[in-house]
Amino acid sequence: MTAFSLDPAQTAWCTELRTLAEQRLRPLAEKGEPGRVNRDLVAELGRLGLLDRLFTSGALELCLMRESLAHACTEAETALALQGLGAHPVHAYGTPDQRARWLPGVRAGTTVAAFALTEPDAGSDAAALALRADPDGTANGANRNSDSAAETDDSGSVHAERDGERGWRLTGEKCWISNAPEADFYTVFARTTPGAGARGVTAFLVPADRPGLTGSPLEMLSPHPVGALVFDAVPVTADDVLGEPGRGFRVAMGTLNLFRPSVGAFAVGMAQSALDATLAHTARRDAFGGKLKDLQAVAHQVAEMALRTEAARLMVYAAATAYDEGAPDVPKRAAMAKLLATETAQYVVDAAVQLHGARALRRGHLLEHLYREVRAPRIYEGASEVQRGIVAKELYATVEAP
């Protein structure tokens, strides 16, 4: 892969995004209710054309958006990312009818999307999903013909025909779902074939008003809209399938391979924000007869923060570029980028708090905010331990067995 650097137009666009985030998005974020979907903020992202870019941009541009927004307004960054995560499966795997019905609202910021993969007992081990999609004797509220036999694909998954005359009932729970329970639709992953692991999962587009679907909010360390969903025999048909029956894990991994590097970009944006605050603070803070920056221990710490932030940034950009070029090692690069960037951001923000002292722990301080925000990315979309496992698996796949 070629060496990477931003061109002047990209650099200028990042600067513009930071300004927009500070002047137009942060005021809306501050008016939002903690733990709830901020629809005014989502709508403003739509008016600015940023949500539309989720579906017209490559992975690198997505990373630049997330990094730039995160530097000035983490809430705006998260709102943008959740729209993309929830709606990308529709964009990439949906039917023309599904895309026509849902994506215009997502682009405009009037329709809120959510990605419903995680369960109480299936987080990092996504192949262990337990939400059941049981073959249904009815679809669209009507009895199907009793002599209609279920079909089976090559993975053994029971599935329905595309004519929508057969269907399933979803039964089980999802947990830690961003934008739940307030989203307008969910990309839901359910098990259509018991005991088949990753090969027995199907992705469904489930509107929030389906009968039997309920949810409740969860209180989190950082007050984002996160909730739990309960599926009580929720009806879905072949018209709701995203991609192919039994191939839902491919939908999930295809989405995550795109968004994992951009999670790293979110982390880099937070790290840069913390670094910038630390540079300003240590340059003006009087201590021990001089400025904090004059202390070698402080100067070396700041240098280490900058070094790690830039290394993480370059790995994120490289992974995104690999995705855009269709490189064969995207899963490894995406995992590496998310792993390094999120671990780096945790280190940089923690170091920034230490150098600021007690003031950084006061409610409302930028670093108090970042300290709460920075923890979750090391867990969601695959914990750091999972990313290490992916990297190792990809590395050993290239080694011939003795």
Side-chain angles (χ1 to χ4, degrees):
M1 177 176 294
T2 57
F4 184 82
S5 62
L6 296 181
D7 62 36
Q10 290 170 316
T11 301
W13 186 56
C14 290
T15 301
E16 179 185 350
L17 286 175
R18 287 187 182 187
T19 301
L20 286 173
E22 183 174 354
Q23 296 180 355
R24 296 183 58 173
L25 298 174
R26 188 191 295 166
L28 291 173
E30 292 173 349
K31 293 178 182 178
E33 182 179 347
R36 300 292 302 275
V37 173
N38 188 333
R39 289 186 177 264
D40 290 339
L41 179 61
V42 176
E44 185 66 11
L45 288 167
R47 283 190 287 269
L48 292 173
L50 298 180
L51 296 179
D52 186 66
R53 283 181 176 265
L54 290 170
F55 308 105
T56 61
S57 304
L60 177 59
E61 189 167 333
L62 173 61
C63 286
L64 296 181
M65 281 197 292
R66 293 191 68 174
E67 178 187 342
S68 301
L69 293 179
H71 185 271
C73 182
T74 59
E75 295 90 344
E77 184 284 333
T78 299
L80 175 111
L82 295 181
Q83 286 288 85
L85 187 65
H88 176 76
V90 183
H91 169 70
Y93 301 94
T95 65
D97 287 344
Q98 289 169 334
R99 292 195 294 268
R101 179 180 178 187
W102 295 104
L103 293 186
V106 173
R107 287 186 167 100
T110 57
T111 299
V112 173
F115 187 80
L117 176 63
T118 305
E119 298 178 5
D121 296 318
S124 296
D125 185 8
L129 295 180
L131 180 70
R132 304 195 321 271
D134 299 318
D136 185 23
T138 64
N140 297 326
N143 292 328
R144 67 175 173 90
N145 295 331
S146 59
D147 59 350
S148 296
E151 297 182 3
T152 305
D153 67 11
D154 58 3
S155 68
S157 298
V158 177
H159 67 87
E161 294 178 348
R162 274 291 179 191
D163 60 12
E165 292 180 356
R166 302 176 187 173
W168 301 263
R169 293 278 177 169
L170 303 182
T171 301
E173 299 178 37
K174 294 289 182 181
C175 198
W176 321 118
I177 306 304
S178 295
N179 283 345
E182 299 178 73
D184 297 305
F185 74 89
Y186 300 89
T187 295
V188 177
F189 299 87
R191 180 158 302 287
T192 44
T193 303
R199 291 179 61 81
V201 173
T202 299
F204 296 94
L205 192 164
V206 183
D209 60 359
R210 283 288 166 86
L213 176 56
T214 58
S216 57
L218 299 171
E219 293 188 11
M220 308 297 291
L221 173 66
S222 187
H224 289 296
V226 176
L229 298 172
V230 176
F231 296 78
D232 184 8
V234 175
V236 290
T237 74
D239 292 335
D240 300 313
V241 172
L242 292 170
E244 300 176 49
R247 305 290 178 85
F249 202 67
R250 180 181 300 176
V251 175
M253 292 304 103
T255 302
L256 293 176
N257 281 339
L258 169 60
F259 277 86
R260 275 174 176 159
S262 73
V263 174
F266 171 37
V268 168
M270 288 189 287
Q272 188 65 54
S273 182
L275 174 60
D276 290 348
T278 302
L279 286 168
H281 173 71
T282 55
R284 67 172 179 263
R285 171 70 169 168
D286 293 319
F288 305 103
K291 300 297 183 183
L292 268 180
K293 70 180 181 64
D294 299 325
L295 299 174
Q296 186 181 70
V298 172
H300 286 189
Q301 177 73 82
V302 172
E304 183 70 16
M305 294 161 66
L307 172 69
R308 297 196 191 191
T309 299
E310 185 64 14
R313 175 181 287 113
L314 292 175
M315 181 162 278
V316 166
Y317 290 176
T321 303
Y323 184 96
D324 289 339
E325 293 178 351
D329 58 350
V330 166
K332 180 186 72 175
R333 287 184 175 275
M336 284 182 166
K338 181 184 185 295
L339 172 63
L340 180 65
T342 57
E343 294 288 336
T344 293
Q346 181 80 58
Y347 168 83
V348 171
V349 171
D350 184 73
V353 169
Q354 192 71 17
L355 291 175
H356 276 74
R359 61 178 44 79
L361 302 178
R362 187 173 182 179
R363 182 71 70 178
H365 193 281
L366 169 66
L367 290 174
E368 180 269 338
H369 171 74
L370 291 177
Y371 201 70
R372 287 183 287 109
E373 290 281 319
V374 79
R375 189 59 184 85
R378 292 173 60 205
I379 296 174
Y380 64 62
E381 294 188 38
S384 292
E385 294 75 14
V386 171
Q387 306 309 319
R388 291 186 175 94
I390 292 171
V391 172
K393 178 181 177 181
E394 294 294 319
L395 289 172
Y396 281 113
T398 65
V399 177
E400 294 184 4

